[in-house]
C-alpha cells in the first residue's frame, strides 16, 4: 500500500513492525503533539507572567509521557484488530496512527462472523490495558513516600490512562459512525441477519446522523454523559466534522446506488476494508 505524500514529501513514516505489522505515523500526528505542547507552555506562561524553566520542563515531560501513553493505547487497539484478522486467517497490511486515532488496514476474509471478531478485537484490548494501569495506580498510591513530589503526577497519569481506556471503549462500541468499530460490528450483524448492503447502509446513515446530533449536543453542554465528555475545542470540532464527512460520503453512495463500493460495505463482496479507533 502506497505511503501518502504531499508533493515529494512523505506524510507517513514507518516507525516499527510489532508482530510483523508495519506501523506508520502520520506527519500531522507529530504536528498535533507540537501544537498541544505549545498550547500548554503558552497557558503556563500567561498564568505565571514570567519564564519558569523548571515548570516548562515539567510540562514538556508530562505532555511527552501523556503522548506516549496515547500512542501505545491506540497502537495496542489496532494490533488487536490485526490479531483478530490473523486469528481467522485474514490479511494484515499495516497500521497508520494519525491525530484522530489509528487505522488498521486488514480484512478477515471469512465472512461476517470473522468481520465481527475483527471489529471487536480492538476494543477488547482495553480491558487488560485498564488492569495494567490500575495496578500502576495502586502501586503509586502505596509508594507515595518513595515517589515524593512525583507521587501526584504519577497518580494523575495513571488515572488519565485508565479513563482513556474507558473513553475509547465507549466511543468505539457506542458510536455507530463509519469507520468506528461500532459501525463495522453493526454491518457484520446485518449481514448475519441476511440484510442487503443497501439496507445496512441506510441503517448506518440514520444511526450516524442521530449520533452526530448527540455529539454536538455533548460538545455544547446540552446533554451530559459521564464516560463521554466532549467540550468546545478545535480537536472535537475536527473529529465531529470528519465523522460528518464520512457519513455524507456513505449517503452519497446510497443516493447513487453504489453503496456496495463504499469501504464499509465492500466487505459484502470481497471482505476488503479497514478498521479505525
Amino acid at each position: 500500500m502506497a505511503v501518502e505524500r504531499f508533493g515529494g514529501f512523505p506524510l507517513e513514516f514507518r516507525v516499527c513492525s510489532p508482530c510483523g505489522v508495519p506501523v506508520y505515523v502520520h506527519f500531522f500526528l507529530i504536528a498535533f503533539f507540537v501544537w498541544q505542547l505549545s498550547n500548554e507552555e503558552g497557558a503556563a506562561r500567561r498564568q505565571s507572567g514570567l519564564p519558569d524553566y523548571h515548570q516548562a520542563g515539567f510540562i514538556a515531560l508530562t505532555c511527552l509521557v501523556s503522548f506516549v501513553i496515547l500512542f501505545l493505547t491506540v497502537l495496542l487497539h489496532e494490533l488487536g484488530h490485526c490479531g483478530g484478522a490473523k486469528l481467522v486467517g485474514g490479511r494484515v497490511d499495516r497500521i497508520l496512527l494519525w491525530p484522530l486515532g489509528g487505522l488498521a488496514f486488514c480484512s478477515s476474509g471469512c465472512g461476517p462472523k470473522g468481520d465481527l471478531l475483527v471489529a471487536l478485537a480492538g476494543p477488547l484490548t482495553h480491558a487488560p490495558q485498564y488492569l495494567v494501569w490500575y495496578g500502576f495506580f495502586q502501586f503509586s498510591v502505596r509508594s507515595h513516600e518513595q515517589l515524593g513530589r512525583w507521587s501526584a503526577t504519577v497518580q494523575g497519569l495513571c488515572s488519565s490512562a485508565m479513563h482513556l481506556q474507558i473513553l475509547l471503549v465507549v466511543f468505539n462500541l457506542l458510536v455507530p459512525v463509519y469507520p468506528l468499530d461500532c459501525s463495522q460490528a453493526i454491518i457484520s450483524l446485518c449481514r448475519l441477519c441476511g440484510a442487503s448492503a443497501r439496507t445496512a447502509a441506510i441503517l448506518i446513515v440514520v444511526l450516524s446522523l442521530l449520533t452526530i446530533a448527540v455529539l454536538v449536543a455533548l460538545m455544547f453542554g446540552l446533554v451530559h454523559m459521564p464516560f463521554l465528555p466532549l467540550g468546545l475545542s478545535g480537536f472535537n470540532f475536527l473529529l465531529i466534522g470528519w465523522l460528518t464527512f464520512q457519513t455524507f460520503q456513505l449517503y452519497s453512495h446510497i443516493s447513487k446506488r453504489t453503496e456496495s463500493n463504499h469501504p464499509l460495505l465492500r466487505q459484502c463482496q470481497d471482505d476488503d476494508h479497514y478498521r479505525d479507533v
Side-chain angles (χ1 to χ4, degrees):
M1 185 173 292
V3 173
E4 185 180 356
R5 292 179 177 270
F6 180 76
F9 181 76
L11 295 179
E12 301 169 8
F13 305 92
R14 185 169 176 172
V15 293
C16 58
S17 299
C19 304
V21 181
V23 176
Y24 290 80
V25 170
H26 201 282
F27 169 78
F28 288 120
L29 178 60
I30 302 172
F32 176 76
F33 168 70
V34 174
W35 175 74
Q36 193 80 354
L37 177 60
S38 65
N39 280 348
E40 294 289 339
E41 297 284 6
R45 282 197 302 270
R46 287 192 297 271
Q47 185 176 7
S48 62
L50 294 173
D52 186 338
Y53 297 108
H54 175 76
Q55 184 184 30
F58 176 78
I59 292 173
L61 178 61
T62 303
C63 285
L64 178 61
V65 174
S66 298
F67 179 79
V68 171
I69 291 173
L70 177 62
F71 179 91
L72 292 176
T73 297
V74 176
L75 176 59
L76 289 173
H77 178 110
E78 301 306 331
L79 285 173
H81 288 308
C82 295
K86 288 187 175 183
L87 184 64
V88 296
R91 188 186 75 251
V92 174
D93 293 324
R94 62 172 180 147
I95 291 173
L96 173 64
L97 302 179
W98 68 311
L100 296 181
L103 298 168
F105 294 84
C106 60
S107 60
S108 73
C110 65
K113 290 183 179 180
D115 290 332
L116 182 61
L117 187 149
V118 175
L120 297 179
L124 287 176
T125 63
H126 296 293
Q129 289 189 73
Y130 181 91
L131 293 177
V132 168
W133 286 112
Y134 179 77
F136 282 139
F137 178 80
Q138 292 298 323
F139 175 79
S140 67
V141 171
R142 291 193 297 269
S143 306
H144 175 77
E145 294 183 359
Q146 291 87 341
L147 292 172
R149 63 189 180 89
W150 290 98
S151 177
T153 302
V154 173
Q155 290 178 30
L157 288 171
C158 292
S159 179
S160 297
M162 289 189 292
H163 180 73
L164 177 63
Q165 310 309 317
I166 297 173
L167 178 63
L168 290 180
V169 167
V170 171
F171 199 75
N172 276 279
L173 293 183
L174 297 183
V175 178
V177 184
Y178 176 79
L180 298 177
D181 297 329
C182 184
S183 67
Q184 309 278 359
I186 290 174
I187 289 296
S188 298
L189 291 173
C190 287
R191 293 170 62 200
L192 287 171
C193 294
S196 66
R198 184 171 182 80
T199 300
I202 292 173
L203 175 61
I204 291 296
V205 167
V206 172
L207 292 176
S208 297
L209 292 175
L210 292 173
T211 302
I212 289 171
V214 171
L215 292 177
V216 171
L218 279 169
M219 191 168 61
F220 284 95
L222 301 178
V223 296
H224 175 70
M225 293 183 182
F227 294 115
L228 195 59
L230 285 178
L232 283 172
S233 69
F235 176 82
N236 289 336
F237 271 110
L238 180 63
L239 176 62
I240 293 177
W242 178 66
L243 294 177
T244 303
F245 175 71
Q246 296 294 335
T247 301
F248 173 75
Q249 283 194 317
L250 179 56
Y251 170 77
S252 297
H253 277 285
I254 294 174
S255 63
K256 297 174 184 177
R257 294 188 174 274
T258 59
E259 58 275 352
S260 292
N261 294 329
H262 187 275
L264 180 62
L265 302 189
R266 196 180 299 142
Q267 55 186 304
C268 297
Q269 297 179 345
D270 58 12
D271 271 334
D272 188 15
H273 57 288
Y274 65 83
R275 311 281 171 195
D276 177 68
V277 69

mmCIF file of all heavy atoms in Angstrom, residues 205-215:
data_model
loop_
_atom_site.group_PDB
_atom_site.id
_atom_site.type_symbol
_atom_site.label_atom_id
_atom_site.label_comp_id
_atom_site.label_asym_id
_atom_site.label_seq_id
_atom_site.Cartn_x
_atom_site.Cartn_y
_atom_site.Cartn_z
ATOM 1 N N VAL A 205 -26.383 5.223 8.144
ATOM 2 C CA VAL A 205 -26.533 6.669 7.941
ATOM 3 C C VAL A 205 -27.505 7.255 8.968
ATOM 4 O O VAL A 205 -27.237 8.306 9.567
ATOM 5 C CB VAL A 205 -27.003 6.974 6.508
ATOM 6 C CG1 VAL A 205 -27.461 8.438 6.386
ATOM 7 C CG2 VAL A 205 -25.881 6.716 5.516
ATOM 8 N N VAL A 206 -28.636 6.590 9.193
ATOM 9 C CA VAL A 206 -29.623 7.080 10.164
ATOM 10 C C VAL A 206 -29.012 7.115 11.567
ATOM 11 O O VAL A 206 -29.117 8.117 12.290
ATOM 12 C CB VAL A 206 -30.886 6.199 10.143
ATOM 13 C CG1 VAL A 206 -31.818 6.586 11.293
ATOM 14 C CG2 VAL A 206 -31.614 6.353 8.808
ATOM 15 N N LEU A 207 -28.349 6.020 11.949
ATOM 16 C CA LEU A 207 -27.723 5.963 13.269
ATOM 17 C C LEU A 207 -26.607 7.011 13.389
ATOM 18 O O LEU A 207 -26.435 7.628 14.445
ATOM 19 C CB LEU A 207 -27.157 4.569 13.525
ATOM 20 C CG LEU A 207 -28.177 3.438 13.693
ATOM 21 C CD1 LEU A 207 -27.465 2.094 13.837
ATOM 22 C CD2 LEU A 207 -29.067 3.690 14.913
ATOM 23 N N SER A 208 -25.866 7.217 12.302
ATOM 24 C CA SER A 208 -24.774 8.194 12.318
ATOM 25 C C SER A 208 -25.296 9.604 12.526
ATOM 26 O O SER A 208 -24.737 10.373 13.325
ATOM 27 C CB SER A 208 -23.977 8.115 11.010
ATOM 28 O OG SER A 208 -23.350 6.859 10.857
ATOM 29 N N LEU A 209 -26.373 9.966 11.827
ATOM 30 C CA LEU A 209 -26.932 11.307 11.963
ATOM 31 C C LEU A 209 -27.435 11.552 13.385
ATOM 32 O O LEU A 209 -27.218 12.628 13.961
ATOM 33 C CB LEU A 209 -28.058 11.513 10.950
ATOM 34 C CG LEU A 209 -27.622 11.572 9.474
ATOM 35 C CD1 LEU A 209 -28.838 11.648 8.566
ATOM 36 C CD2 LEU A 209 -26.705 12.771 9.230
ATOM 37 N N LEU A 210 -28.112 10.554 13.948
ATOM 38 C CA LEU A 210 -28.593 10.690 15.324
ATOM 39 C C LEU A 210 -27.413 10.825 16.299
ATOM 40 O O LEU A 210 -27.448 11.651 17.222
ATOM 41 C CB LEU A 210 -29.451 9.479 15.700
ATOM 42 C CG LEU A 210 -30.797 9.351 14.961
ATOM 43 C CD1 LEU A 210 -31.456 8.020 15.321
ATOM 44 C CD2 LEU A 210 -31.710 10.509 15.311
ATOM 45 N N THR A 211 -26.384 10.033 16.074
ATOM 46 C CA THR A 211 -25.228 10.056 16.968
ATOM 47 C C THR A 211 -24.473 11.375 16.864
ATOM 48 O O THR A 211 -24.049 11.938 17.885
ATOM 49 C CB THR A 211 -24.274 8.899 16.630
ATOM 50 O OG1 THR A 211 -24.983 7.659 16.742
ATOM 51 C CG2 THR A 211 -23.089 8.884 17.575
ATOM 52 N N ILE A 212 -24.301 11.881 15.648
ATOM 53 C CA ILE A 212 -23.596 13.155 15.463
ATOM 54 C C ILE A 212 -24.362 14.284 16.148
ATOM 55 O O ILE A 212 -23.763 15.177 16.760
ATOM 56 C CB ILE A 212 -23.402 13.444 13.960
ATOM 57 C CG1 ILE A 212 -22.366 12.474 13.381
ATOM 58 C CG2 ILE A 212 -22.961 14.892 13.728
ATOM 59 C CD1 ILE A 212 -22.250 12.510 11.876
ATOM 60 N N ALA A 213 -25.694 14.237 16.084
ATOM 61 C CA ALA A 213 -26.508 15.247 16.772
ATOM 62 C C ALA A 213 -26.269 15.185 18.283
ATOM 63 O O ALA A 213 -26.150 16.225 18.950
ATOM 64 C CB ALA A 213 -27.991 15.029 16.461
ATOM 65 N N VAL A 214 -26.166 13.972 18.831
ATOM 66 C CA VAL A 214 -25.897 13.814 20.269
ATOM 67 C C VAL A 214 -24.497 14.329 20.606
ATOM 68 O O VAL A 214 -24.295 15.001 21.627
ATOM 69 C CB VAL A 214 -26.044 12.338 20.686
ATOM 70 C CG1 VAL A 214 -25.563 12.133 22.119
ATOM 71 C CG2 VAL A 214 -27.494 11.895 20.549
ATOM 72 N N LEU A 215 -23.514 14.048 19.750
ATOM 73 C CA LEU A 215 -22.153 14.509 19.994
ATOM 74 C C LEU A 215 -22.076 16.036 19.990
ATOM 75 O O LEU A 215 -21.363 16.640 20.804
ATOM 76 C CB LEU A 215 -21.201 13.932 18.940
ATOM 77 C CG LEU A 215 -20.966 12.413 18.987
ATOM 78 C CD1 LEU A 215 -20.066 11.980 17.841
ATOM 79 C CD2 LEU A 215 -20.354 12.011 20.320
#
